[in-house]
Amino acid sequence: MEIIKEKQSPKRSLKRSLIVFIGNVLGIYLISVLGLGAEVSQFDDIIFLVLFISLINSLFWPLLTRIAMPFLVLTFGVGVLILNGILLQIFAPIFDIQIKGAAIILAPLAMAAVTTILSSLITINDDSSYYRSVLRDAEKKRKNEIKDYPGVIIVEIDGLAYEVLREAVERGEMPTMKKMIESGDYNLRMWETDLSSQTGASQAGILHGNNEGIVAFRWIEKSNGNQMMQCSGITKVPELEQRISDGNGLLVDNGASRSNLFSGDTDNVIFTFSKIMDFKKLYNKAWYSVFSNPSNFARIIALFLADIIREIWSQITHSIRNVRPRIKRGIAYIPTRAATNVFMREINTSTLIGDMMVGDVDVAYSTYLGYDEIAHHSGVRDSDAWIALRAMDQQIKHLTDANKYCPRDYQFVIQSDHGQTNGATFTQRYGETFEDFVKSLLPEDMTVFAKMNSDEDHFAGSSPFSREKKKIKKEQEEEKELNDSEVIVLASGNLAMIYLTQWSQRLTYEELNNYFPELIPGIINNEYVGFILVKSQEHGDLAIGKNGTYYLDSGEIEGENPLEGFGDNIVRHLKRTSSFEHTPDILVNSFYDEKADEVCAFEELVGSHGGAGGDQSKPFILYPSSWNVSDDEIIGAENIYKLLKENLAELKK
């Protein structure tokens, strides 16, 4: 993956053009045979119609998309199918063909689907026609002189652990990554997350250099009227970014944010949750690269539908094979998986390629959500996960191939924000939810509020499939429940938090034992709990396990070490978390079985992250070997920010 010194022009591929032509013809024929709204007299008529539409598209598609761009963006691309269908409906009668009803949408979809299938069967992966259309528009947008220093494209593969990446490369699932690693042009390193091993804390640190106070995926702020803050939600994330940002984010200097939780202090955003409600930022010229080719968006929808079928089949086969651990994924998860694993993935790649072709953006950061979503529900090393990584590797290839046609060089950083660790859930192991378990240790008359799911950390709510008004109403209803509760139990993977909200301050170990004598002994003696973190008035921070206590301030251990197996830096992480203003009264981390490499999530997820134990806190970063990076351990997301920020500055010198 050497830096491209001689730029090329995308060449026309006769083979690819022929496949597209055949796919389009067969697509319309298929719709007519199935009686779905296309009426055809003779097969030859389809051939002439496709040739004519191809000519119309080559002449007028750039103009049509430019005029209709606001409509295409506001409909999240569905308008492209409508536009294609209208063109077919208008010109088909000339060739004695009628396109009506559902065929206005189904015909373009079928044309793209058949073309995609044929390309896969014949192993044609030539995107030169797409690159040509994007480059043609990019040249019109280019206003400034070509910069003489390279830009940087940062790709985040959400949830992919260092060891799982190595395994995927060895299995042959990620040949592009393998080539990059073995080329000598890139260095691959493992880094260690903070205790909150989840996207909110990691992206706050990476994109803004500050994740101070982010206890977990969500937490309670006693000093703020028991408000629940979280790394999700259309009102919470913008507020959280205001807290962590000092105006010097990773993307502040001519950067672009694509499908991230936070903006990195840029206004050049697409699907960035912290600015998702700013509709002025929804219309971004980078969208053109998604719609620049008339069949590109239809291809995305075809892949989306194929992933829906793949997930349905996966649920059936997992049930038949009785795969363990296994959770009930449900119907709602099916389109969510397709949205994150396909739709968002393709939008990310298309807009990044557009950024590169224009050549003005100095740094772009984009999160790819598919693997994380699938690993949560199917498992970290399930066949579904390997398929997702194979597709992700193909996106990296598209990006690196695009570099050949860009006016300036772009360097690449591929990294993850955290990993995941597999394991059956607390409910599956213990027979009741952690919420109910905590209730059993408290007086019966105490009111308990629990929020035991955190898989929203993939921020799929930023997708076009979310319903924002419904989310706002749900947040308001939850606030009322919170105000009426005396105990709040939250989960973040295999990390759980218990807040006693009758008290405005964090209760000490001594106070907890005095008020609720059964609570701490009951929790630590549960076989699926590894340790708890509490603050003692007499001894300071304590990590307590079944057979021992770690006095974190003094370093003394009484009995067995409860932190054994949780990493060399676990004390450092616990002390930092304990120093936060809104650390819970009791922070609970599940056990970690080092031999089986399993944790026990307090929410219903097969692969989980959020606490300590296993690969969830061991992501990776692949960066150019020419960069100046210390050989010291990289601990904490804020140090990834420093690494990236310093080397971005060096490139401009």
Side-chain angles (χ1 to χ4, degrees):
M1 294 298 163
E2 71 282 358
I3 291 177
I4 306 297
K5 291 184 172 62
E6 292 185 13
K7 295 300 178 180
Q8 305 173 23
S9 296
K11 297 178 181 178
R12 293 184 179 276
S13 170
L14 181 59
K15 187 185 291 186
R16 173 67 182 174
S17 299
L18 184 60
I19 290 298
V20 172
F21 172 72
I22 294 172
N24 287 344
V25 170
L26 292 179
I28 295 176
Y29 180 69
L30 179 65
I31 295 300
S32 69
V33 169
L34 295 175
L36 297 175
E39 298 177 4
V40 179
S41 300
Q42 296 183 18
F43 185 79
D44 292 354
D45 294 335
I46 303 176
I47 295 175
F48 291 118
L49 172 62
V50 170
L51 287 171
F52 183 78
I53 289 294
S54 299
L55 178 63
I56 292 294
N57 281 333
S58 65
L59 294 174
F60 299 110
W61 187 259
L63 178 62
L64 286 173
T65 51
R66 192 164 284 107
I67 294 171
M69 184 61 69
F71 171 66
L72 303 183
V73 172
L74 289 172
T75 58
F76 296 102
V78 176
V80 173
L81 299 178
I82 298 172
L83 192 58
N84 268 311
I86 289 173
L87 288 176
L88 285 171
Q89 189 179 42
I90 291 172
F91 294 111
I94 298 174
F95 303 92
D96 200 23
I97 296 174
Q98 299 296 321
I99 303 291
K100 54 188 178 182
I104 293 176
I105 297 292
L106 294 178
L109 270 178
M111 293 161 72
V114 175
T115 299
T116 302
I117 292 169
L118 290 176
S119 298
S120 300
L121 291 175
I122 307 175
T123 64
I124 291 179
N125 192 26
D126 180 4
D127 294 309
S128 56
S129 61
Y130 170 73
Y131 290 138
R132 276 201 316 275
S133 58
V134 176
L135 183 59
R136 182 172 58 241
D137 180 69
E139 287 171 343
K140 296 174 183 176
K141 291 180 182 176
R142 205 174 295 139
K143 299 176 181 178
N144 305 317
E145 292 184 5
I146 304 303
K147 297 175 182 179
D148 60 0
Y149 57 89
V152 177
I153 302 296
I154 306 171
V155 171
E156 178 189 300
I157 307 177
D158 191 10
L160 180 59
Y162 173 85
E163 290 297 339
V164 178
L165 167 66
R166 298 289 306 193
E167 190 173 336
V169 168
E170 290 170 8
R171 286 170 53 97
E173 309 288 357
M174 303 187 79
T176 306
M177 287 292 286
K178 179 182 176 70
K179 188 175 179 181
M180 295 177 81
I181 293 167
E182 295 179 349
S183 68
D185 295 319
Y186 291 87
N187 291 337
L188 176 65
R189 297 271 301 275
M190 182 178 75
W191 65 280
E192 186 173 322
T193 68
D194 303 285
L195 175 60
S196 182
S197 54
Q198 47 87 24
T199 301
S202 289
Q203 281 206 357
I206 294 169
L207 288 169
H208 291 277
N210 177 20
N211 60 8
E212 189 77 16
I214 299 181
V215 181
F217 172 70
R218 59 170 62 90
W219 62 93
I220 297 300
E221 299 186 346
K222 286 188 175 185
S223 60
N224 196 14
N226 290 330
Q227 173 182 288
M228 184 168 68
M229 179 56 72
Q230 61 186 35
C231 302
S232 181
I234 57 176
T235 60
K236 302 296 185 183
V237 175
E239 181 182 345
L240 191 53
E241 180 165 309
Q242 287 181 350
R243 294 185 186 184
I244 63 175
S245 173
D246 64 356
N248 190 34
L250 185 68
L251 308 179
V252 68
D253 191 5
N254 203 30
S257 171
R258 306 286 179 252
S259 299
N260 300 314
L261 193 60
F262 301 110
S263 72
D265 290 325
T266 181
D267 284 332
N268 184 350
V269 297
I270 290 179
F271 290 151
T272 297
F273 215 1
S274 64
K275 298 186 177 180
I276 199 72
M277 293 302 289
D278 189 341
F279 292 103
K280 293 178 182 177
K281 294 181 175 63
L282 181 63
Y283 182 74
N284 188 313
K285 290 182 179 179
W287 273 104
Y288 184 83
S289 56
V290 181
F291 310 128
S292 60
N293 186 298
S295 63
N296 186 48
F297 190 81
R299 180 189 65 84
I300 293 173
I301 296 299
L303 292 172
F304 174 89
L305 295 174
D307 205 60
I308 284 178
I309 295 170
R310 185 178 287 116
E311 170 56 23
I312 293 171
W313 177 248
S314 173
Q315 290 193 23
I316 293 170
T317 55
H318 277 65
S319 179
I320 292 172
R321 290 160 47 206
N322 195 26
V323 173
R324 298 290 178 181
R326 186 176 81 250
I327 60 170
K328 184 178 179 180
R329 298 184 226 169
I331 295 174
Y333 169 67
I334 296 172
T336 299
R337 163 180 160 158
T340 55
N341 189 46
V342 174
F343 185 88
M344 302 292 284
R345 178 192 76 198
E346 298 293 327
I347 297 297
N348 285 355
T349 301
S350 293
T351 54
L352 286 175
I353 289 173
D355 293 330
M356 294 168 65
M357 293 292 188
V358 174
D360 182 56
V361 167
D362 288 339
V363 54
Y365 193 105
S366 182
T367 303
Y368 286 76
L369 311 164
Y371 171 80
D372 186 68
E373 183 70 47
I374 289 171
H376 274 316
H377 293 83
S378 296
V380 173
R381 291 175 171 84
D382 187 80
S383 59
D384 288 350
W386 298 129
I387 291 170
L389 290 178
R390 206 177 306 149
M392 184 63 236
D393 188 79
Q394 195 64 43
Q395 304 307 304
I396 297 170
K397 185 178 188 301
H398 291 327
L399 291 168
T400 54
D401 283 351
N403 204 28
K404 295 181 290 189
Y405 313 121
C406 299
R408 68 189 286 203
D409 288 320
Y410 275 93
Q411 296 182 359
F412 295 91
V413 174
I414 317 296
Q415 65 183 44
S416 55
D417 53 343
H418 56 76
Q420 287 199 32
T421 309
N422 242 46
T425 69
F426 181 89
T427 303
Q428 290 172 336
R429 295 174 190 268
Y430 190 65
E432 69 175 355
T433 66
F434 186 72
E435 170 194 356
D436 289 336
F437 169 63
V438 171
K439 282 182 181 179
S440 71
L441 303 174
L442 295 167
E444 291 184 4
D445 60 346
M446 293 192 75
T447 55
V448 179
F449 172 87
K451 189 81 170 176
M452 305 302 288
N453 65 302
S454 71
D455 58 322
E456 297 167 26
D457 87 327
H458 52 57
F459 48 96
S462 62
S463 79
F465 307 97
S466 62
R467 297 171 64 183
E468 309 298 357
K469 289 184 179 179
K470 186 177 180 180
K471 287 178 178 290
I472 292 173
K473 185 178 179 182
K474 189 175 181 181
E475 284 184 14
Q476 292 171 341
E477 290 173 352
E478 282 184 351
E479 284 180 11
K480 186 178 185 305
E481 285 187 67
L482 284 167
N483 292 332
D484 296 336
S485 300
E486 298 167 303
V487 184
I488 299 174
V489 184
L490 307 175
S492 182
N494 72 317
L495 197 70
M497 287 138 286
I498 302 170
Y499 292 87
L500 287 306
T501 54
Q502 291 171 292
W503 292 267
S504 59
Q505 79 281 4
R506 180 184 177 188
L507 293 179
T508 65
Y509 172 65
E510 291 82 4
E511 289 172 328
L512 287 163
N513 281 330
N514 183 41
Y515 298 138
F516 309 103
E518 296 180 8
L519 185 56
I520 288 179
I523 293 172
I524 61 176
N525 285 318
N526 186 291
E527 60 183 308
Y528 303 116
V529 170
F531 63 86
I532 67 169
L533 172 68
V534 290
K535 195 170 196 68
S536 166
Q537 186 174 357
E538 182 180 354
H539 301 289
D541 296 325
L542 303 178
I544 306 174
K546 292 173 183 57
N547 302 308
T549 300
Y550 200 126
Y551 296 86
L552 300 179
D553 291 353
S554 66
E556 295 179 8
I557 300 173
E558 182 181 284
E560 295 179 8
N561 182 2
L563 303 180
E564 186 70 36
F566 287 97
D568 296 338
N569 300 302
I570 185 63
V571 172
R572 168 181 173 174
H573 293 311
L574 287 172
K575 285 183 66 63
R576 181 174 187 257
T577 296
S578 190
S579 71
F580 293 163
E581 180 183 357
H582 304 298
T583 301
D585 298 303
I586 305 174
L587 186 144
V588 184
N589 200 96
S590 85
F591 81 100
Y592 171 57
D593 183 337
E594 199 166 0
K595 188 175 181 181
D597 190 27
E598 287 187 348
V599 294
C600 171
F602 295 111
E603 52 187 326
E604 293 308 294
L605 295 174
V606 178
S608 69
H609 56 89
D615 288 338
Q616 62 182 304
S617 58
K618 300 173 184 177
F620 72 92
I621 180 169
L622 181 82
Y623 57 86
S625 54
S626 59
W627 282 19
N628 182 22
V629 179
S630 168
D631 292 332
D632 294 341
E633 271 188 302
I634 306 173
I635 302 173
E638 293 175 358
N639 283 315
I640 294 292
Y641 166 84
K642 292 175 184 175
L643 183 161
L644 295 170
K645 195 78 169 176
E646 288 169 2
N647 282 280
L648 287 171
E650 283 295 319
L651 291 176
K652 296 182 179 182
K653 290 183 178 178

